[in-house]
Amino acid sequence: MKKPIRRIIEYTVLILIACIFVFPLIWMIVSSLKPEASIYTDMNGIKALLPSLNPSDWLQSYKELFNRFDIVQYIFNSVIYAVVITGGSIVVNAMAGYAFARFHFRGKKILFALMLALLIVPVETIIITQFTVAHSLGILNTRLAVILPLIANIFFIYLFRNFFKAVPEEVIESVKIDGGNNWTIFWRIVLPMSKPAIATVGTLSFIASWNDYLWPLMVLTDTSKFPLQVAITNINTTEPVFTNQVMSILTISTIPLIIVYILAQKYILQGLGGSGTGIK
Amino acid sequence: MNIKKKENLAAYIFLAPALILLGLFLVYPSLLAIYYSFTDYYLLTPNDINIVWLENFIAIFKDPVFIQSLKNIALFVVLVIPIQVGAALGLALLINKQRKGNIFFKVAFFSPVVLSLVVISVLWLYLLNPSEGLINNILLNVGIDPQPFLSSPTQAMVTIVFVSAWQGAGYQMLIFLAGLQNIPGEVYEAGKIDGVNKWQKFYYITLPLLKPTSILIMITTLISAFKLIIQPMVMTQGGPMNATMTPVYYIYQSGFSDRMIGYASAMTVIFGIVIGIVTLIQSRVSREDDN
């Protein structure tokens, strides 16, 4: 007799907590799927968490949003930034990690110690001088300025290095005997063997670049180059502001992340040692 | 060319892209910040940079906004760590059990993590709207007076604490869950034989074994909490009455909006040292864990 009651209480508590965690997300999505006025008339009941009962209303706010702003351009920008940063970050950091894992060269120990020491520099605090550097390089208000600072990452180099150290020596030696040089060994043998490391770095750098806000906000002045995150605050402050349209752009910008988190869930936790974007 | 030289060259070719980028966007800006912190560099007069030695540092500690930002971030850190880490541990314990539908709860608790900081900031701005937001409507329905939340100097920072904890707890829940699943079953079996009750089991077995995980989570939370900027920037612009101004946000405002590079750099140096020390402690702690 005692057990079922306990179980009911347990599930009630779990469901209540789950509601606290998901209701903002649900409200965001359903509010993008109803007319502006309904958002506020629905506020007092369960209807607040339901989309418009008339499905023909659903895409109305999205249509208006796409008419008012160049959303396609923002999506394109975000995708370009994320893809180039993710690809660049995999190649550049893997190469450096490979050098530390496999080569004996002058200054290796000092360089490696220096890199680990640099891990303590909080990048968020040096934004001002990063900006003056971008200014001196003459890349302000270019896509390059958004991309370049996010590519090299000490934590990713370290991750690749540790992974490459675990690749058996014999594999590499046998290719060397067959006449392969370092370049072909790296691209043809080592990299294809490193899918878990690539997936981890790829996932983490995709999420970081997709969510990047402050840096693109600082270096870009042309709205046509804005990524979605910057476009969001821009749309949210461009009069007239419609709640359903704001919720639409929030939803649009979140969809790729939902897909990435579902596809790459097993790689997400590896990022603990790196610097998260938020309080993660 | 001998083999040794060849290997040196190959290594540096592999390292070159990373070293150049790290040099340009990490090392050089860090050194520049140190140099500029001793100057009166104003962005619009780049040809008139004078060394002023410690003037910026003295001015900073007399700057009420900077002092306020330190107090604010201290409040944020002191509140967000127990709330977020506690919630994460609680959630992990709740779902660390064989139960139908557990995966649903896990996904639900994790879902806010998927949202970017900009998205959660804008979303909660609407939810917390004092007159027409959903939260005050819910409160009204259960008989609680509407709250000002972000528009009140006393509530704004606490509100940001809860929004941040809500967003981040699910991620740390997964880390705690991994830690819980690493505790061998025999330990609990042994406890059972000794006749410990549920609370004793939690207090004397689970909690001590989770200590390394907890410390790691607390310090990483501490470090990222120190760098708080997006939430106040988007939700309150540091207000009302500087109640949510944070050091990194103030660095951004003085250096970028007010163009006082020298002054902002001095704050970068001071605050960078603070975060650097905490990070050093973290790497010590996690190294001890490995051993």
Side-chain angles (χ1 to χ4, degrees), chain A residues 27 34-35 37-53, chain B residues 134:
Chain A
W27 187 77
K34 58 172 84 164
S38 310
I39 293 178
Y40 294 98
T41 51
D42 288 352
M43 201 67 96
N44 264 312
I46 192 66
K47 275 176 88 180
L49 297 180
L50 296 173
S52 167
L53 298 176
Chain B
L134 184 61

Side-chain angles (χ1 to χ4, degrees), chain A residues 6 10-11 14 20 43-44 104-106 124-125 129-130 211 213 229 236 241 257 268 272 278-279, chain B residues 7-8 11-12 25 29 84 97 99-100 114 116-118 126 132 137 166 171 198 216 224 227 268:
Chain A
R6 240 194 97 147
E10 222 177 72
Y11 272 99
L14 277 168
I20 294 174
M43 201 67 96
N44 264 312
H104 302 283
F105 56 92
R106 196 180 297 172
E124 291 85 345
T125 62
T129 37
Q130 279 182 323
N211 288 344
Y213 172 70
Q229 304 296 324
N236 191 41
V241 180
L257 289 172
I268 307 285
L272 183 65
I279 325 280
Chain B
E7 189 161 351
N8 271 335
Y12 278 103
F25 295 105
Q84 183 173 337
K97 197 178 170 188
R99 181 194 291 122
K100 262 191 197 134
V114 174
S116 77
L117 289 178
V118 173
Y126 283 84
E132 46 192 14
N137 266 284
W166 168 83
Y171 181 76
K198 261 199 150 164
L216 181 69
S224 34
K227 302 173 190 166
T268 297

